[in-house]
Amino acid sequence: MDLRRIARETCDTLVNYLTYQAFRVILDQLQETNPAQHIWLQHFSARYSFQYSSDYLQALYKEKPDLALRIMTVRAALVEDMADSLPEMSRTSINQANMALRRTMLEHLTQMSDPISEEESPPS
Amino acid sequence: MDLRRIARETCDTLVNYLTYQAFRVILDQLQETNPAQHIWLQHFSARYSFQYSSDYLQALYKEKPDLALRIMTVRAALVEDMADSLPEMSRTSINQANMALRRTMLEHLTQMSDPISEEESPPS
């Protein structure tokens, strides 16, 4: 298990995802302040994947540098605000998700067990 | 900007992504220990999206409960090992990515400026 590689790739995924969230923040702002630019940004962004957020921002910069800089500023603010809560939140999320799945699996097993096998081993 | 929603969605993305990484860890292990199951897991998983990791694990549990539990155990271990380094790593990643982009943008601007405008404002 290559933990260094996994950590690096997880971080890249976080950067790409926060870029997507920053794009959505800017898109929401434009809907109120500049509907024409809102539609433009929506159409432009549909041509790119946020899995390659760096390529997306470079392409956006060539077309509308102000929008690229706004998205970069928002993603920096997002990571600043949220980073410290990520360890606790991600641990809790995974543990809760694992518990919920184990519960579902247990219920599935209980439903599978037939009355005969239950009679074979009554509580003593 | 709805920070609570963004934090929750970011966490969900992390959980899904670490499930994918845990799947890859188990896939690598199976390649060495059980090639037939390696191929089976690869084919099975291609039918699902890790964007819905909970649905994936439930479906996997119905077919091969031991593999579902192994992936759940590995993703819990991954978040345990990595969670504390996420704040620093994600901040650094975003700040470095922003700096790299600003550098590229600056170079782009420098290349755009023509010699005439450079002659107009020589260093004093």
Side-chain angles (χ1 to χ4, degrees):
Chain A
M1 195 153 83
D2 184 351
L3 265 177
R4 282 175 74 103
R5 178 188 55 74
I6 294 175
R8 199 180 56 242
E9 290 178 5
T10 303
C11 229
D12 290 346
T13 300
L14 256 178
V15 171
N16 292 332
Y17 188 71
L18 290 178
T19 308
Y20 162 72
Q21 287 285 1
F23 148 76
R24 281 181 56 186
V25 168
I26 299 300
L27 202 65
D28 282 353
Q29 288 175 357
L30 289 174
Q31 192 163 28
E32 290 173 20
T33 58
N34 191 336
Q37 216 169 37
H38 168 89
I39 293 167
W40 182 90
L41 182 61
Q42 206 162 29
H43 284 191
F44 176 86
S45 307
R47 284 154 40 200
Y48 291 87
S49 165
F50 282 95
Q51 285 189 321
Y52 307 96
S53 60
S54 181
D55 293 347
Y56 164 75
L57 285 171
Q58 280 194 37
L60 180 59
Y61 177 79
K62 282 178 190 159
E63 301 271 339
K64 305 260 187 209
D66 58 320
L67 290 182
L69 288 167
R70 275 172 74 178
I71 291 177
M72 283 160 65
T73 305
V74 170
R75 72 175 181 174
L78 284 179
V79 81
E80 208 47 59
D81 282 340
M82 292 191 341
D84 289 330
S85 59
L86 280 178
E88 180 66 19
M89 279 184 77
S90 55
R91 272 199 188 99
T92 307
S93 285
I94 291 230
N95 290 334
Q96 282 180 348
N98 275 1
M99 270 199 292
L101 275 166
R102 286 204 174 91
R103 200 159 44 234
T104 310
M105 290 164 182
L106 207 62
E107 281 165 11
H108 179 75
L109 275 178
T110 316
Q111 283 162 11
M112 295 278 285
S113 67
D114 58 1
I116 293 165
S117 64
E118 275 175 38
E119 279 171 25
E120 278 173 347
S121 56
S124 57
Chain B
M1 193 154 85
D2 184 352
L3 264 179
R4 282 174 72 103
R5 179 187 55 73
I6 294 175
R8 200 179 56 242
E9 290 178 3
T10 303
C11 229
D12 289 345
T13 300
L14 255 179
V15 172
N16 292 332
Y17 188 71
L18 290 179
T19 309
Y20 162 71
Q21 287 285 2
F23 148 76
R24 279 181 58 186
V25 168
I26 299 299
L27 202 64
D28 282 353
Q29 288 175 358
L30 289 174
Q31 193 163 27
E32 290 172 21
T33 58
N34 191 335
Q37 216 168 37
H38 168 87
I39 292 166
W40 182 90
L41 182 62
Q42 205 162 29
H43 285 190
F44 175 86
S45 307
R47 286 152 40 199
Y48 291 86
S49 164
F50 282 95
Q51 284 190 321
Y52 307 97
S53 61
S54 182
D55 294 348
Y56 164 74
L57 285 171
Q58 280 192 38
L60 180 59
Y61 178 79
K62 282 176 190 159
E63 301 270 339
K64 305 258 186 207
D66 57 321
L67 289 183
L69 289 168
R70 274 172 75 177
I71 291 176
M72 286 161 64
T73 305
V74 169
R75 73 174 181 176
L78 284 179
V79 80
E80 208 47 60
D81 282 340
M82 293 191 340
D84 289 330
S85 58
L86 280 177
E88 180 65 18
M89 278 185 77
S90 55
R91 273 199 189 98
T92 307
S93 284
I94 291 229
N95 290 336
Q96 282 180 348
N98 276 1
M99 269 199 292
L101 275 165
R102 286 204 174 91
R103 201 161 41 235
T104 309
M105 292 163 179
L106 207 62
E107 281 164 12
H108 179 76
L109 275 177
T110 315
Q111 284 162 8
M112 295 279 284
S113 67
D114 59 2
I116 294 164
S117 63
E118 275 175 37
E119 278 170 24
E120 278 172 350
S121 55
S124 58

mmCIF file of all heavy atoms in Angstrom, chain A residues 95-111, chain B residues 58 61 69 72:
data_model
loop_
_atom_site.group_PDB
_atom_site.id
_atom_site.type_symbol
_atom_site.label_atom_id
_atom_site.label_comp_id
_atom_site.label_asym_id
_atom_site.label_seq_id
_atom_site.Cartn_x
_atom_site.Cartn_y
_atom_site.Cartn_z
ATOM 1 N N ASN A 95 -16.381 6.360 9.244
ATOM 2 C CA ASN A 95 -16.818 5.440 10.299
ATOM 3 C C ASN A 95 -18.342 5.298 10.323
ATOM 4 O O ASN A 95 -18.859 4.206 10.495
ATOM 5 C CB ASN A 95 -16.278 5.900 11.663
ATOM 6 C CG ASN A 95 -14.767 5.714 11.737
ATOM 7 O OD1 ASN A 95 -14.211 4.862 11.042
ATOM 8 N ND2 ASN A 95 -14.093 6.518 12.547
ATOM 9 N N GLN A 96 -19.048 6.423 10.143
ATOM 10 C CA GLN A 96 -20.517 6.351 10.101
ATOM 11 C C GLN A 96 -20.987 5.554 8.881
ATOM 12 O O GLN A 96 -21.906 4.742 8.975
ATOM 13 C CB GLN A 96 -21.120 7.756 10.067
ATOM 14 C CG GLN A 96 -21.131 8.413 11.437
ATOM 15 C CD GLN A 96 -21.722 9.807 11.415
ATOM 16 O OE1 GLN A 96 -21.934 10.378 10.344
ATOM 17 N NE2 GLN A 96 -21.961 10.377 12.581
ATOM 18 N N ALA A 97 -20.350 5.788 7.727
ATOM 19 C CA ALA A 97 -20.739 5.063 6.515
ATOM 20 C C ALA A 97 -20.480 3.562 6.695
ATOM 21 O O ALA A 97 -21.311 2.736 6.324
ATOM 22 C CB ALA A 97 -19.965 5.598 5.313
ATOM 23 N N ASN A 98 -19.337 3.213 7.308
ATOM 24 C CA ASN A 98 -19.038 1.799 7.558
ATOM 25 C C ASN A 98 -20.055 1.187 8.524
ATOM 26 O O ASN A 98 -20.526 0.073 8.312
ATOM 27 C CB ASN A 98 -17.623 1.642 8.123
ATOM 28 C CG ASN A 98 -16.566 1.584 7.018
ATOM 29 O OD1 ASN A 98 -16.894 1.686 5.838
ATOM 30 N ND2 ASN A 98 -15.308 1.421 7.398
ATOM 31 N N MET A 99 -20.422 1.928 9.563
ATOM 32 C CA MET A 99 -21.407 1.417 10.533
ATOM 33 C C MET A 99 -22.761 1.210 9.868
ATOM 34 O O MET A 99 -23.424 0.199 10.078
ATOM 35 C CB MET A 99 -21.546 2.393 11.708
ATOM 36 C CG MET A 99 -20.577 2.076 12.839
ATOM 37 S SD MET A 99 -21.100 2.844 14.381
ATOM 38 C CE MET A 99 -20.881 4.575 14.033
ATOM 39 N N ALA A 100 -23.184 2.202 9.072
ATOM 40 C CA ALA A 100 -24.480 2.102 8.382
ATOM 41 C C ALA A 100 -24.495 0.889 7.459
ATOM 42 O O ALA A 100 -25.483 0.140 7.406
ATOM 43 C CB ALA A 100 -24.749 3.380 7.592
ATOM 44 N N LEU A 101 -23.373 0.662 6.760
ATOM 45 C CA LEU A 101 -23.301 -0.491 5.854
ATOM 46 C C LEU A 101 -23.335 -1.802 6.633
ATOM 47 O O LEU A 101 -24.016 -2.747 6.238
ATOM 48 C CB LEU A 101 -22.020 -0.413 5.014
ATOM 49 C CG LEU A 101 -22.111 0.438 3.760
ATOM 50 C CD1 LEU A 101 -20.727 0.727 3.209
ATOM 51 C CD2 LEU A 101 -22.923 -0.289 2.685
ATOM 52 N N ARG A 102 -22.608 -1.836 7.754
ATOM 53 C CA ARG A 102 -22.594 -3.076 8.564
ATOM 54 C C ARG A 102 -23.991 -3.370 9.087
ATOM 55 O O ARG A 102 -24.403 -4.522 9.169
ATOM 56 C CB ARG A 102 -21.597 -2.953 9.724
ATOM 57 C CG ARG A 102 -20.168 -3.054 9.257
ATOM 58 C CD ARG A 102 -19.210 -3.526 10.355
ATOM 59 N NE ARG A 102 -17.881 -3.744 9.801
ATOM 60 C CZ ARG A 102 -16.930 -2.820 9.745
ATOM 61 N NH1 ARG A 102 -17.161 -1.614 10.237
ATOM 62 N NH2 ARG A 102 -15.758 -3.090 9.209
ATOM 63 N N ARG A 103 -24.741 -2.301 9.451
ATOM 64 C CA ARG A 103 -26.112 -2.473 9.936
ATOM 65 C C ARG A 103 -26.985 -3.060 8.811
ATOM 66 O O ARG A 103 -27.730 -4.018 9.031
ATOM 67 C CB ARG A 103 -26.665 -1.120 10.398
ATOM 68 C CG ARG A 103 -27.832 -1.232 11.327
ATOM 69 C CD ARG A 103 -28.046 0.022 12.160
ATOM 70 N NE ARG A 103 -27.934 1.248 11.373
ATOM 71 C CZ ARG A 103 -27.118 2.246 11.678
ATOM 72 N NH1 ARG A 103 -26.348 2.179 12.741
ATOM 73 N NH2 ARG A 103 -27.069 3.323 10.923
ATOM 74 N N THR A 104 -26.870 -2.479 7.619
ATOM 75 C CA THR A 104 -27.640 -2.987 6.465
ATOM 76 C C THR A 104 -27.302 -4.451 6.194
ATOM 77 O O THR A 104 -28.179 -5.271 5.922
ATOM 78 C CB THR A 104 -27.311 -2.149 5.203
ATOM 79 O OG1 THR A 104 -27.439 -0.773 5.531
ATOM 80 C CG2 THR A 104 -28.253 -2.483 4.055
ATOM 81 N N MET A 105 -26.024 -4.744 6.275
ATOM 82 C CA MET A 105 -25.571 -6.121 6.019
ATOM 83 C C MET A 105 -26.134 -7.085 7.073
ATOM 84 O O MET A 105 -26.529 -8.208 6.765
ATOM 85 C CB MET A 105 -24.042 -6.168 6.040
ATOM 86 C CG MET A 105 -23.411 -5.468 4.840
ATOM 87 S SD MET A 105 -21.660 -5.116 5.103
ATOM 88 C CE MET A 105 -21.248 -4.257 3.564
ATOM 89 N N LEU A 106 -26.160 -6.626 8.316
ATOM 90 C CA LEU A 106 -26.681 -7.445 9.422
ATOM 91 C C LEU A 106 -28.173 -7.695 9.221
ATOM 92 O O LEU A 106 -28.658 -8.811 9.404
ATOM 93 C CB LEU A 106 -26.440 -6.706 10.740
ATOM 94 C CG LEU A 106 -26.298 -7.571 11.993
ATOM 95 C CD1 LEU A 106 -25.092 -8.495 11.871
ATOM 96 C CD2 LEU A 106 -26.147 -6.675 13.230
ATOM 97 N N GLU A 107 -28.894 -6.635 8.827
ATOM 98 C CA GLU A 107 -30.334 -6.784 8.573
ATOM 99 C C GLU A 107 -30.568 -7.774 7.432
ATOM 100 O O GLU A 107 -31.470 -8.589 7.489
ATOM 101 C CB GLU A 107 -30.942 -5.428 8.199
ATOM 102 C CG GLU A 107 -31.186 -4.543 9.416
ATOM 103 C CD GLU A 107 -31.438 -3.087 9.033
ATOM 104 O OE1 GLU A 107 -31.627 -2.796 7.829
ATOM 105 O OE2 GLU A 107 -31.422 -2.245 9.943
ATOM 106 N N HIS A 108 -29.702 -7.683 6.420
ATOM 107 C CA HIS A 108 -29.798 -8.581 5.279
ATOM 108 C C HIS A 108 -29.608 -10.033 5.744
ATOM 109 O O HIS A 108 -30.361 -10.934 5.368
ATOM 110 C CB HIS A 108 -28.715 -8.195 4.263
ATOM 111 C CG HIS A 108 -28.679 -9.052 3.041
ATOM 112 N ND1 HIS A 108 -29.597 -8.948 2.034
ATOM 113 C CD2 HIS A 108 -27.817 -10.034 2.664
ATOM 114 C CE1 HIS A 108 -29.312 -9.825 1.092
ATOM 115 N NE2 HIS A 108 -28.242 -10.498 1.450
ATOM 116 N N LEU A 109 -28.602 -10.237 6.607
ATOM 117 C CA LEU A 109 -28.338 -11.580 7.139
ATOM 118 C C LEU A 109 -29.518 -12.083 7.962
ATOM 119 O O LEU A 109 -29.907 -13.244 7.881
ATOM 120 C CB LEU A 109 -27.096 -11.556 8.032
ATOM 121 C CG LEU A 109 -25.744 -11.710 7.349
ATOM 122 C CD1 LEU A 109 -24.634 -11.612 8.378
ATOM 123 C CD2 LEU A 109 -25.660 -13.042 6.609
ATOM 124 N N THR A 110 -30.107 -11.198 8.787
ATOM 125 C CA THR A 110 -31.232 -11.571 9.652
ATOM 126 C C THR A 110 -32.422 -11.995 8.807
ATOM 127 O O THR A 110 -33.099 -12.976 9.110
ATOM 128 C CB THR A 110 -31.625 -10.374 10.542
ATOM 129 O OG1 THR A 110 -30.434 -9.794 11.051
ATOM 130 C CG2 THR A 110 -32.510 -10.813 11.693
ATOM 131 N N GLN A 111 -32.658 -11.222 7.721
ATOM 132 C CA GLN A 111 -33.780 -11.563 6.839
ATOM 133 C C GLN A 111 -33.550 -12.893 6.119
ATOM 134 O O GLN A 111 -34.478 -13.610 5.797
ATOM 135 C CB GLN A 111 -33.981 -10.456 5.794
ATOM 136 C CG GLN A 111 -34.683 -9.230 6.375
ATOM 137 C CD GLN A 111 -34.501 -7.994 5.501
ATOM 138 O OE1 GLN A 111 -34.033 -8.088 4.379
ATOM 139 N NE2 GLN A 111 -34.863 -6.835 6.037
ATOM 140 N N GLN B 58 -22.748 -1.965 -1.029
ATOM 141 C CA GLN B 58 -23.916 -2.811 -0.747
ATOM 142 C C GLN B 58 -24.077 -3.893 -1.820
ATOM 143 O O GLN B 58 -24.356 -5.051 -1.513
ATOM 144 C CB GLN B 58 -25.182 -1.963 -0.675
ATOM 145 C CG GLN B 58 -25.316 -1.266 0.669
ATOM 146 C CD GLN B 58 -26.696 -0.657 0.864
ATOM 147 O OE1 GLN B 58 -27.693 -1.232 0.467
ATOM 148 N NE2 GLN B 58 -26.734 0.513 1.457
ATOM 149 N N TYR B 61 -21.338 -6.423 -1.403
ATOM 150 C CA TYR B 61 -21.592 -7.275 -0.226
ATOM 151 C C TYR B 61 -22.519 -8.437 -0.572
ATOM 152 O O TYR B 61 -22.338 -9.551 -0.089
ATOM 153 C CB TYR B 61 -22.191 -6.443 0.911
ATOM 154 C CG TYR B 61 -22.508 -7.309 2.105
ATOM 155 C CD1 TYR B 61 -21.499 -7.706 2.990
ATOM 156 C CD2 TYR B 61 -23.802 -7.760 2.342
ATOM 157 C CE1 TYR B 61 -21.778 -8.521 4.065
ATOM 158 C CE2 TYR B 61 -24.084 -8.573 3.420
ATOM 159 C CZ TYR B 61 -23.066 -8.954 4.284
ATOM 160 O OH TYR B 61 -23.351 -9.763 5.349
ATOM 161 N N LEU B 69 -16.183 -6.129 2.940
ATOM 162 C CA LEU B 69 -15.662 -5.822 4.277
ATOM 163 C C LEU B 69 -14.180 -5.446 4.217
ATOM 164 O O LEU B 69 -13.738 -4.561 4.950
ATOM 165 C CB LEU B 69 -15.874 -7.025 5.209
ATOM 166 C CG LEU B 69 -17.343 -7.253 5.604
ATOM 167 C CD1 LEU B 69 -17.536 -8.614 6.272
ATOM 168 C CD2 LEU B 69 -17.850 -6.144 6.536
ATOM 169 N N MET B 72 -14.000 -1.839 3.079
ATOM 170 C CA MET B 72 -14.414 -0.955 4.183
ATOM 171 C C MET B 72 -13.316 -0.818 5.237
ATOM 172 O O MET B 72 -13.076 0.268 5.772
ATOM 173 C CB MET B 72 -15.700 -1.490 4.824
ATOM 174 C CG MET B 72 -16.930 -1.252 3.957
ATOM 175 S SD MET B 72 -18.307 -2.343 4.418
ATOM 176 C CE MET B 72 -18.658 -1.793 6.084
#
